[in-house]
């Protein structure tokens, strides 16, 4: 089974004293692992009719976005 894999390469960019020490990186459209990207689960009501219940994790979208914040600070390791 093929698998999509995304990686983040971390490296400090241009920096200046008093400047920002954080950076944001968004990674969109990851397949939701809870519903396998379907966005819903089949359910049965009291009349045994099947209906789609939206996935509580991805809210029916089937996909998740990763909002990554990288915070730079002076190293404490010698
Ligand atoms: Zn989901």
């Amino acid at each position: 089974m093929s698998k999509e894999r995304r990686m983040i390469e971390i490296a400090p960019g241009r920096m200046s004293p008093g400047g920002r020490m954080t950076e944001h990186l968004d990674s969109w459209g990851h397949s939701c692992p809870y519903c396998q990207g379907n966005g819903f689960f089949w359910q049965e009501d009291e009349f045994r009719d099947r209906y789609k219940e939206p996935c509580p994790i991805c809210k029916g979208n089937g996909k998740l976005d990763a909002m990554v914040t990288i915070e730079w600070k002076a190293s404490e390791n010698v």
Side-chain angles (χ1 to χ4, degrees), residues 21 72-78:
M21 293 291 275
W72 295 98
K73 68 177 187 64
S75 179
E76 290 166 5
N77 300 300
V78 188

Side-chain angles (χ1 to χ4, degrees), residues 6-36:
R6 298 188 210 182
M7 294 187 203
I8 299 173
E9 191 178 306
I10 298 176
R14 185 187 293 263
M15 286 183 171
S16 54
R20 287 192 314 156
M21 293 291 275
T22 57
E23 58 181 305
H24 300 279
L25 204 129
D26 300 336
S27 181
W28 293 295
H30 294 262
S31 183
C32 175
Y34 193 67
C35 63
Q36 275 85 44

